[in-house]
Amino acid sequence: MIRRLFRPNYAQKLSLLATLPLIVAGLCIAALVAIQSRSMAEREIQVLERQLIEAKKAELRNYVTQARNGFMHIYGPAAPDDQAAKEKVTQTLSAMIYGKDGFFFVYDYDGTNLVSPRQTEFINRNWSGLTDGNGVPIVDTFIDIARQGAGWHSFMWEKPSTGEEAQMIAYVVGLQDWQWAVGTGVFIDDVLASIASSRQEVENRVRRTFLYIGAITLVALILVFASGMLLNIRERRLADAKLKELTQRVFDAQEEERGRVARELHDSISQLLVGVRYALETVKRRISRGEHDAVAQPLDRGVDGLATAITEVRRISRDLRPGVLDDLGLGPALKALTDDFATRTGIDTEFTTVVFRNRLDQEAKIALYRVAQEALTNIERHSGATRVTMDLRGHAKGATMRITDNGSGLPPEQARSGAGIGLRNMQERMEQLDGTLRILSSRNAGPGKTLGKSGSGTVIEASLSLSHLLPPGDEVAAHRLP
């Protein structure tokens, strides 16, 4: 009986032969997934940490710049020994507090604190030689940075709201005539907590992955022992592979779009709202001081900032996916894009196209639309053009979109250092579809080469081959604009 138990029959041998590779493969996949997940997540976390820190730094630099603008009319004409002017500036900076822990500080070059509204016990005391719990110099470094002009410093500092030490990043500028170091700081414990939470999420995700792989392996083993058919195992593994590939594609697309929207929100909406907030805080301070006649200008700035933010939100929403591109095709979508560009910028814009027999496939339509978007954005921001023309047409070799402006052209230094991010994005989109992108500029055109009747401006020409034109079998496509 024992001999029969340890002497498997043919079906049991087949089951074992199918099971052992599956177990080994499951273990290898689990180890590989764990390693790759940790490695990829760590890179993403590092990028996230840099982005969060840079955002904090940008916010700090903006606060200091705005504060300096607030007292520069006092500091500029004042003499080095003008005590009345110094008193006004210290009062102004003492009133500039924000959030739960934000405030401005001032130290003279001897190390004496002059302004510390949230920790008043520091005022009028010399703090030269002060270090944090890790031995990092604080005040002496502030003074060194101020002597050099401006800079950053990171150290541990007690949070006014909690009384506990936390990591702080400070931005310091120097007022050389008065020998003052003026700055403000922001605590990044929330950033560190977010990074720690992300790392913990990675560990949880890896643990869940092990559980998923274990569950899949167990199901596969049950199927093997229940049916004894190798075909079921192979189909199961193929199905799992396809599911993982599809899931990864969805995740990649989601993360790419989230990253783009996050950059749009940070670069436009966030900065606009910071400006609005500062304008409202200025109004609040002036009202509290009874300066009612001086609130109109900052209120106007705040209203203008909100209007611009609303416009940006609408633009971002429209740029995510224009409905006309799916509903009517590329031609009407480009026509709507140029009409909106002309209305928004006041630049004379003309769009022309011709009907050609074959319709562009979906990837080509999206690529050409995004190239047009990027080109118009560059024209609006950098060219100074007064007229733009866009032409889309098919020909014997495929389809070509040509965008021309009469602006200032590309600067020589840009031509030497390579294309910018926008031009690189356009180039990569066309290369992905085996297309070409040609950029001609009046500033780098050789002798005898002109871009138009005026010989000035920039031409962007994007071309796609016939492989991206659908065959003429589609009767609807044969009568639509591209």
Coordinates of all heavy atoms in Angstrom, one line a residue, residues 339-401:
D339 N -10.0 78.7 -34.8 CA -10.9 79.7 -34.4 C -10.8 80.1 -33.0 O -10.8 81.3 -32.6 CB -12.4 79.2 -34.7 CG -12.6 79.1 -36.2 OD1 -11.9 79.6 -37.0 OD2 -13.6 78.4 -36.6
D340 N -10.7 79.2 -32.1 CA -10.5 79.5 -30.7 C -9.2 80.2 -30.4 O -9.2 81.2 -29.6 CB -10.6 78.2 -29.8 CG -10.4 78.4 -28.4 OD1 -11.3 79.0 -27.7 OD2 -9.3 78.1 -27.9
F341 N -8.2 79.8 -31.1 CA -6.9 80.5 -31.0 C -7.0 81.9 -31.4 O -6.4 82.9 -30.8 CB -5.8 79.7 -31.8 CG -4.5 80.4 -31.9 CD1 -3.6 80.3 -30.8 CD2 -4.1 81.2 -33.0 CE1 -2.3 80.9 -30.9 CE2 -2.9 81.8 -33.0 CZ -2.0 81.6 -32.0
A342 N -7.6 82.2 -32.6 CA -7.8 83.6 -33.0 C -8.6 84.4 -32.1 O -8.3 85.6 -31.8 CB -8.4 83.5 -34.4
T343 N -9.7 83.8 -31.5 CA -10.5 84.6 -30.6 C -9.7 84.9 -29.3 O -9.8 86.0 -28.8 CB -11.8 83.8 -30.3 OG1 -12.5 83.5 -31.5 CG2 -12.7 84.5 -29.3
R344 N -9.0 83.9 -28.8 CA -8.3 84.1 -27.6 C -7.1 85.1 -27.6 O -6.9 85.8 -26.7 CB -7.8 82.8 -27.0 CG -7.2 82.8 -25.6 CD -6.8 81.4 -25.1 NE -5.6 80.9 -25.8 CZ -5.6 80.0 -26.8 NH1 -6.8 79.4 -27.1 NH2 -4.5 79.6 -27.4
T345 N -6.4 85.0 -28.7 CA -5.1 85.8 -28.8 C -5.2 87.0 -29.7 O -4.4 87.9 -29.6 CB -4.0 84.9 -29.5 OG1 -4.4 84.5 -30.8 CG2 -3.8 83.6 -28.6
G346 N -6.3 87.1 -30.5 CA -6.4 88.3 -31.4 C -5.5 88.2 -32.6 O -5.4 89.1 -33.4
I347 N -4.8 87.1 -32.8 CA -3.9 86.9 -34.0 C -4.7 86.4 -35.2 O -5.6 85.5 -35.1 CB -2.8 85.8 -33.7 CG1 -2.0 86.3 -32.5 CG2 -2.0 85.5 -34.9 CD1 -1.0 85.3 -32.0
D348 N -4.5 87.1 -36.3 CA -5.2 86.7 -37.5 C -4.8 85.3 -37.9 O -3.7 85.0 -38.3 CB -4.8 87.7 -38.7 CG -5.6 87.4 -39.9 OD1 -6.6 86.7 -39.9 OD2 -5.2 87.9 -41.0
T349 N -5.8 84.4 -37.9 CA -5.5 82.9 -38.2 C -6.4 82.4 -39.3 O -7.6 82.7 -39.3 CB -5.8 82.1 -36.9 OG1 -5.0 82.7 -35.8 CG2 -5.3 80.7 -37.1
E350 N -5.8 81.7 -40.2 CA -6.5 81.1 -41.3 C -6.3 79.6 -41.4 O -5.1 79.2 -41.3 CB -6.1 81.8 -42.6 CG -6.8 81.3 -43.9 CD -6.3 81.9 -45.2 OE1 -5.4 82.8 -45.1 OE2 -6.8 81.5 -46.2
F351 N -7.4 78.8 -41.6 CA -7.2 77.4 -41.8 C -7.8 77.0 -43.1 O -8.9 77.4 -43.5 CB -8.0 76.7 -40.6 CG -8.0 75.2 -40.8 CD1 -6.9 74.4 -40.7 CD2 -9.2 74.6 -41.2 CE1 -7.0 73.0 -40.8 CE2 -9.3 73.2 -41.4 CZ -8.2 72.4 -41.2
T352 N -7.1 76.2 -43.9 CA -7.6 75.7 -45.1 C -7.3 74.2 -45.2 O -6.3 73.7 -44.6 CB -6.8 76.4 -46.3 OG1 -5.4 76.1 -46.2 CG2 -7.1 77.8 -46.3
T353 N -8.2 73.5 -45.9 CA -8.0 72.0 -46.1 C -8.8 71.7 -47.4 O -9.5 72.4 -47.9 CB -8.6 71.3 -44.9 OG1 -8.3 69.9 -45.1 CG2 -10.1 71.4 -44.8
V354 N -8.5 70.5 -47.8 CA -9.1 69.9 -49.0 C -9.6 68.5 -48.7 O -9.0 67.8 -47.9 CB -8.2 69.9 -50.2 CG1 -7.8 71.3 -50.7 CG2 -7.0 69.1 -50.0
V355 N -10.7 68.1 -49.3 CA -11.2 66.8 -49.1 C -10.3 65.8 -49.9 O -10.1 66.1 -51.1 CB -12.7 66.7 -49.6 CG1 -13.2 65.2 -49.4 CG2 -13.5 67.6 -48.8
F356 N -9.8 64.8 -49.3 CA -9.1 63.8 -50.1 C -9.8 62.4 -49.8 O -10.4 62.2 -48.7 CB -7.6 63.8 -49.8 CG -7.2 63.7 -48.4 CD1 -6.9 62.5 -47.8 CD2 -7.0 64.9 -47.7 CE1 -6.5 62.4 -46.5 CE2 -6.6 64.8 -46.4 CZ -6.3 63.6 -45.8
R357 N -9.6 61.5 -50.7 CA -10.4 60.3 -50.7 C -10.3 59.5 -49.4 O -11.4 59.0 -49.0 CB -10.0 59.5 -51.9 CG -10.9 58.3 -52.1 CD -10.6 57.5 -53.4 NE -11.4 56.4 -53.7 CZ -11.3 55.6 -54.7 NH1 -10.3 55.7 -55.5 NH2 -12.2 54.6 -54.8
N358 N -9.1 59.2 -48.9 CA -9.0 58.4 -47.8 C -8.9 59.1 -46.5 O -8.5 60.3 -46.4 CB -7.7 57.5 -47.9 CG -7.8 56.6 -49.1 OD1 -8.8 56.2 -49.5 ND2 -6.6 56.3 -49.6
R359 N -9.4 58.5 -45.5 CA -9.5 59.2 -44.1 C -8.3 58.7 -43.3 O -7.9 57.6 -43.4 CB -10.8 58.9 -43.4 CG -10.9 59.6 -42.1 CD -12.2 59.2 -41.4 NE -12.2 57.7 -41.1 CZ -13.2 57.1 -40.4 NH1 -14.2 57.8 -40.0 NH2 -13.2 55.8 -40.2
L360 N -7.7 59.6 -42.5 CA -6.6 59.3 -41.6 C -7.1 58.3 -40.5 O -8.3 58.4 -40.0 CB -6.1 60.5 -40.9 CG -5.3 61.5 -41.8 CD1 -5.0 62.8 -41.1 CD2 -4.0 60.8 -42.2
D361 N -6.2 57.4 -40.0 CA -6.6 56.6 -38.9 C -6.6 57.3 -37.6 O -6.2 58.5 -37.6 CB -5.7 55.3 -38.8 CG -4.3 55.7 -38.7 OD1 -4.0 56.8 -38.2 OD2 -3.4 54.9 -39.0
Q362 N -7.1 56.7 -36.5 CA -7.3 57.4 -35.3 C -6.0 57.9 -34.7 O -5.9 59.1 -34.2 CB -8.0 56.5 -34.3 CG -8.4 57.2 -33.0 CD -9.5 58.1 -33.2 OE1 -10.1 58.2 -34.3 NE2 -9.9 59.0 -32.2
E363 N -4.9 57.1 -34.7 CA -3.6 57.5 -34.2 C -3.1 58.7 -34.9 O -2.5 59.7 -34.3 CB -2.6 56.4 -34.2 CG -2.9 55.2 -33.3 CD -4.0 54.3 -33.9 OE1 -4.4 54.5 -35.1 OE2 -4.4 53.4 -33.2
A364 N -3.2 58.7 -36.3 CA -2.7 59.9 -37.0 C -3.5 61.2 -36.8 O -2.9 62.2 -36.6 CB -2.8 59.5 -38.5
K365 N -4.8 61.0 -36.6 CA -5.6 62.2 -36.3 C -5.2 62.8 -35.0 O -5.0 64.1 -34.9 CB -7.1 61.9 -36.3 CG -7.7 61.6 -37.6 CD -9.2 61.5 -37.6 CE -9.7 60.5 -36.6 NZ -11.2 60.4 -36.6
I366 N -5.0 62.0 -34.0 CA -4.7 62.5 -32.7 C -3.3 63.1 -32.7 O -3.0 64.2 -32.1 CB -4.7 61.4 -31.6 CG1 -6.1 60.9 -31.4 CG2 -4.1 61.8 -30.3 CD1 -6.3 59.7 -30.5
A367 N -2.3 62.5 -33.4 CA -1.0 63.0 -33.5 C -0.9 64.4 -34.1 O -0.3 65.3 -33.7 CB -0.1 62.0 -34.2
L368 N -1.6 64.5 -35.3 CA -1.6 65.8 -36.0 C -2.3 66.9 -35.2 O -1.9 68.1 -35.2 CB -2.3 65.7 -37.4 CG -1.5 64.9 -38.4 CD1 -2.2 64.7 -39.7 CD2 -0.1 65.5 -38.7
Y369 N -3.4 66.5 -34.5 CA -4.1 67.5 -33.7 C -3.2 68.0 -32.5 O -3.2 69.2 -32.2 CB -5.4 66.9 -33.1 CG -6.2 67.9 -32.3 CD1 -7.1 68.7 -33.0 CD2 -6.1 68.0 -30.9 CE1 -7.9 69.6 -32.3 CE2 -6.9 68.9 -30.2 CZ -7.8 69.7 -30.9 OH -8.5 70.6 -30.2
R370 N -2.5 67.1 -31.9 CA -1.6 67.5 -30.8 C -0.4 68.3 -31.3 O 0.0 69.3 -30.6 CB -1.1 66.3 -30.0 CG -2.2 65.4 -29.3 CD -3.0 66.3 -28.4 NE -4.0 65.5 -27.7 CZ -4.9 65.9 -26.9 NH1 -5.1 67.2 -26.8 NH2 -5.8 65.1 -26.3
V371 N 0.1 68.0 -32.5 CA 1.2 68.8 -33.0 C 0.6 70.2 -33.3 O 1.3 71.2 -33.0 CB 1.7 68.2 -34.3 CG1 2.6 69.2 -35.1 CG2 2.5 66.9 -34.0
A372 N -0.6 70.3 -33.8 CA -1.2 71.7 -34.1 C -1.3 72.4 -32.8 O -1.1 73.6 -32.7 CB -2.5 71.5 -34.8
Q373 N -1.8 71.8 -31.7 CA -2.0 72.4 -30.4 C -0.7 72.9 -29.9 O -0.6 74.1 -29.5 CB -2.5 71.4 -29.4 CG -4.0 71.3 -29.4 CD -4.5 70.4 -28.2 OE1 -3.9 69.3 -28.0 NE2 -5.5 70.8 -27.5
E374 N 0.4 72.1 -30.0 CA 1.7 72.5 -29.4 C 2.2 73.7 -30.3 O 2.8 74.6 -29.7 CB 2.6 71.3 -29.5 CG 4.0 71.6 -28.7 CD 3.7 71.7 -27.2 OE1 3.0 70.9 -26.7 OE2 4.3 72.7 -26.7
A375 N 2.1 73.6 -31.6 CA 2.6 74.7 -32.4 C 1.9 76.0 -32.1 O 2.6 77.1 -32.0 CB 2.4 74.3 -33.9
L376 N 0.6 76.0 -32.0 CA -0.1 77.3 -31.7 C 0.2 77.8 -30.3 O 0.3 79.0 -30.1 CB -1.6 77.0 -31.8 CG -2.2 76.7 -33.2 CD1 -3.7 76.5 -33.1 CD2 -1.9 77.9 -34.2
T377 N 0.5 76.9 -29.4 CA 0.9 77.3 -28.0 C 2.2 78.0 -28.1 O 2.4 79.1 -27.5 CB 1.0 76.1 -27.1 OG1 -0.3 75.5 -27.0 CG2 1.4 76.6 -25.7
N378 N 3.2 77.5 -28.9 CA 4.5 78.1 -29.0 C 4.4 79.4 -29.7 O 5.1 80.4 -29.4 CB 5.4 77.2 -29.8 CG 5.8 76.0 -29.0 OD1 5.7 76.0 -27.8 ND2 6.3 74.9 -29.7
I379 N 3.5 79.5 -30.7 CA 3.4 80.8 -31.4 C 2.8 81.9 -30.5 O 3.3 83.0 -30.5 CB 2.4 80.6 -32.6 CG1 3.1 79.7 -33.7 CG2 2.0 81.9 -33.2 CD1 2.2 79.3 -34.9
E380 N 1.8 81.5 -29.7 CA 1.2 82.4 -28.8 C 2.2 82.9 -27.7 O 2.3 84.1 -27.4 CB 0.0 81.8 -28.1 CG -0.7 82.7 -27.0 CD -1.8 82.0 -26.3 OE1 -2.1 80.8 -26.6 OE2 -2.4 82.6 -25.4
R381 N 3.1 82.0 -27.2 CA 3.9 82.4 -26.1 C 5.2 83.1 -26.6 O 5.8 83.9 -25.8 CB 4.3 81.1 -25.3 CG 3.1 80.5 -24.6 CD 3.5 79.3 -23.8 NE 2.4 78.7 -23.1 CZ 2.5 77.5 -22.4 NH1 3.6 76.8 -22.4 NH2 1.4 77.1 -21.8
H382 N 5.8 82.7 -27.7 CA 7.1 83.1 -28.0 C 7.3 83.9 -29.3 O 8.3 84.5 -29.5 CB 8.0 81.8 -28.1 CG 7.9 80.9 -26.9 ND1 8.3 81.3 -25.6 CD2 7.5 79.6 -26.8 CE1 8.0 80.3 -24.8 NE2 7.6 79.3 -25.5
S383 N 6.4 83.8 -30.3 CA 6.8 84.2 -31.6 C 6.5 85.7 -31.8 O 7.2 86.4 -32.6 CB 6.0 83.4 -32.7 OG 4.6 83.8 -32.7
G384 N 5.5 86.3 -31.2 CA 5.1 87.6 -31.4 C 4.4 87.8 -32.8 O 4.5 88.9 -33.4
A385 N 3.9 86.7 -33.4 CA 3.3 86.8 -34.7 C 2.0 87.5 -34.7 O 1.3 87.6 -33.7 CB 3.1 85.4 -35.2
T386 N 1.7 88.1 -35.9 CA 0.4 88.7 -36.1 C -0.5 88.0 -37.1 O -1.7 88.3 -37.2 CB 0.6 90.2 -36.6 OG1 1.3 90.1 -37.9 CG2 1.4 91.0 -35.6
R387 N 0.0 87.0 -37.7 CA -0.7 86.2 -38.7 C -0.2 84.7 -38.7 O 1.0 84.5 -38.7 CB -0.6 86.7 -40.1 CG -1.4 85.9 -41.1 CD -1.5 86.6 -42.5 NE -2.1 85.8 -43.5 CZ -3.4 85.6 -43.6 NH1 -4.2 86.2 -42.7 NH2 -3.9 84.8 -44.5
V388 N -1.2 83.8 -38.7 CA -0.9 82.4 -38.7 C -1.8 81.7 -39.7 O -3.0 82.0 -39.9 CB -1.2 81.7 -37.3 CG1 -0.9 80.2 -37.4 CG2 -0.3 82.4 -36.2
T389 N -1.2 80.8 -40.5 CA -2.0 80.0 -41.5 C -1.7 78.5 -41.2 O -0.6 78.1 -40.9 CB -1.6 80.3 -42.9 OG1 -0.2 80.0 -43.1 CG2 -1.8 81.8 -43.2
M390 N -2.7 77.7 -41.3 CA -2.6 76.3 -41.2 C -3.3 75.6 -42.4 O -4.4 76.0 -42.7 CB -3.3 75.8 -39.9 CG -3.2 74.3 -39.6 SD -4.1 73.8 -38.1 CE -3.2 74.8 -36.9
D391 N -2.6 74.7 -43.0 CA -3.1 74.0 -44.2 C -3.0 72.5 -44.0 O -1.9 72.0 -43.6 CB -2.4 74.5 -45.4 CG -2.9 73.8 -46.7 OD1 -4.0 74.2 -47.1 OD2 -2.2 72.9 -47.2
L392 N -4.1 71.8 -44.3 CA -4.1 70.3 -44.2 C -4.6 69.7 -45.5 O -5.7 70.1 -46.0 CB -5.0 69.9 -43.0 CG -5.2 68.4 -42.9 CD1 -3.9 67.7 -42.4 CD2 -6.3 68.1 -41.9
R393 N -3.8 68.8 -46.1 CA -4.2 68.2 -47.3 C -3.6 66.9 -47.5 O -2.5 66.6 -47.0 CB -3.9 69.2 -48.5 CG -2.4 69.5 -48.7 CD -2.2 70.6 -49.8 NE -2.9 71.8 -49.4 CZ -3.9 72.3 -50.0 NH1 -4.4 71.7 -51.1 NH2 -4.4 73.5 -49.7
G394 N -4.2 66.1 -48.4 CA -3.6 64.8 -48.8 C -3.0 64.9 -50.1 O -3.3 65.8 -50.9
H395 N -2.0 64.0 -50.4 CA -1.3 64.0 -51.7 C -0.9 62.6 -52.0 O -1.3 61.6 -51.3 CB -0.1 64.9 -51.6 CG 0.7 64.7 -50.4 ND1 1.6 63.7 -50.2 CD2 0.8 65.5 -49.2 CE1 2.2 63.8 -49.0 NE2 1.7 64.9 -48.4
A396 N -0.1 62.4 -53.0 CA 0.2 61.1 -53.5 C 1.0 60.3 -52.5 O 1.0 59.0 -52.5 CB 1.0 61.2 -54.8
K397 N 1.7 60.9 -51.6 CA 2.6 60.2 -50.7 C 2.0 60.1 -49.3 O 2.5 59.5 -48.4 CB 3.9 60.9 -50.5 CG 4.7 60.9 -51.8 CD 6.1 61.6 -51.6 CE 6.9 61.6 -52.9 NZ 8.2 62.3 -52.7
G398 N 0.8 60.7 -49.0 CA 0.2 60.6 -47.7 C -0.6 61.9 -47.4 O -1.4 62.4 -48.2
A399 N -0.3 62.5 -46.2 CA -1.0 63.7 -45.8 C 0.0 64.6 -45.1 O 1.0 64.2 -44.5 CB -2.1 63.3 -44.8
T400 N -0.2 65.9 -45.3 CA 0.7 66.9 -44.7 C -0.1 68.0 -44.1 O -1.1 68.5 -44.7 CB 1.6 67.5 -45.8 OG1 2.4 66.4 -46.4 CG2 2.6 68.6 -45.3
M401 N 0.4 68.5 -42.9 CA -0.1 69.7 -42.2 C 1.0 70.7 -42.2 O 2.1 70.4 -41.7 CB -0.6 69.3 -40.8 CG -1.2 70.5 -40.1 SD -1.8 70.0 -38.4 CE -0.3 69.6 -37.6

